[in-house]
Amino acid sequence: MTQQLVSQEQRCHWCTGDELYIRYHDEEWGVPCHDDQTLFEFLILEGAQAGLNWLTILKKREGYRNALAGFDVQKVARFDETDIERLLNDEGIIRNRLKINSAITNARSFIKVQKEFGSFDTYIWQFVNHQPIINHWKTMDEVPVTTPESEAMSKDLKKRGFKYVGSTICYAYMQAMGMTNDHITSCISYTACPDFG
């Protein structure tokens, strides 16, 4: 089904207008992800979003890829003060020292989790018992901003040294990575998402 043939009423209402937003909604949001590099990418992007809207982050996604070595977790973990200064002057990303520092800290913590669990995928999906939670929301107003699962994830990530991983950020991460299907039931992507992964 082409994007031109789909009316706005057939999508979740948050992805209005911008083509980048629509493509992200149709092709990525809610699709179960088990790739560690993508899981790392979105951990960084969701943290960068704090206090901002998601479209702002989507528009800077390529900037982040360029600035953070294609989201290569091993390379980001080795970033030093010189890299931090470079990033603070990079207009392609959110130039916030705390968020930049957290990307490096989170890369190092991410690697520790990979070593302990074999993959970040194995670790993070345990919070939903390794199966997507399929919700049945009729309107976006019904969709929560946190859940017991996101609370547990947030608590454990913080214990492991991760930053910018509050419960609300964790739930947004779960939605993005398809750990929960929060497309409304009338959305074109609602039935498609569980079939991926």
Side-chain angles (χ1 to χ4, degrees):
M1 188 179 294
T2 64
Q3 292 176 5
Q4 289 75 23
L5 297 176
V6 178
S7 70
Q8 184 54 49
E9 287 70 32
Q10 292 174 276
R11 290 191 177 92
C12 300
H13 299 154
W14 55 261
C15 70
T16 56
D18 192 281
E19 186 71 21
L20 191 64
Y21 225 8
I22 292 170
R23 193 164 62 248
Y24 170 70
H25 168 274
D26 290 3
E27 299 173 8
E28 291 187 87
W29 194 73
V31 177
C33 174
H34 297 284
D35 173 68
D36 269 19
Q37 185 167 357
T38 305
L39 290 167
F40 175 65
E41 175 179 351
F42 274 83
L43 189 70
I44 301 307
L45 295 178
E46 292 291 352
Q49 185 200 355
L52 303 168
N53 68 57
W54 184 242
L55 184 56
T56 298
I57 301 302
L58 279 182
K59 288 179 176 178
K60 289 186 177 288
R61 191 174 181 181
E62 282 305 315
Y64 272 98
R65 283 189 178 132
N66 293 332
L68 299 179
F71 291 102
D72 183 320
V73 68
Q74 296 288 339
K75 290 180 180 177
V76 177
R78 292 193 296 270
F79 279 9
D80 58 18
E81 194 59 42
T82 302
D83 293 296
I84 292 170
E85 290 304 317
R86 169 180 60 82
L87 294 171
L88 284 169
N89 289 294
D90 189 333
E91 294 181 2
I93 67 170
I94 305 301
R95 293 179 291 175
N96 175 298
R97 184 178 287 274
L98 290 176
K99 290 180 180 180
I100 289 168
N101 285 341
S102 75
I104 300 166
T105 298
N106 288 353
R108 293 168 183 166
S109 297
F110 193 97
I111 291 168
K112 289 178 184 175
V113 167
Q114 287 178 315
K115 287 178 179 174
E116 182 178 346
F117 289 85
S119 69
F120 191 80
D121 171 58
T122 299
Y123 163 75
I124 205 69
W125 275 84
Q126 71 179 322
F127 294 101
V128 292
N129 199 27
H130 303 281
Q131 290 291 326
I133 296 170
I134 311 301
N135 290 310
H136 308 283
W137 315 121
K138 289 183 171 57
T139 70
M140 293 307 297
D141 291 337
E142 297 175 69
V143 180
V145 293
T146 66
T147 62
E149 291 84 2
S150 71
E151 292 283 355
M153 181 189 296
S154 173
K155 184 176 179 181
D156 200 72
L157 285 168
K158 287 177 180 177
K159 185 178 73 176
R160 294 173 182 278
F162 288 85
K163 307 294 183 188
Y164 283 93
V165 287
S167 186
T168 301
I169 289 174
C170 283
Y171 195 64
Y173 182 75
M174 290 171 64
Q175 292 172 314
M177 296 293 89
M179 298 172 74
T180 178
N181 182 347
D182 276 348
H183 289 282
I184 57 174
T185 53
S186 60
C187 176
I188 56 163
S189 296
Y190 176 72
T191 54
C193 281
D195 298 329
F196 286 86

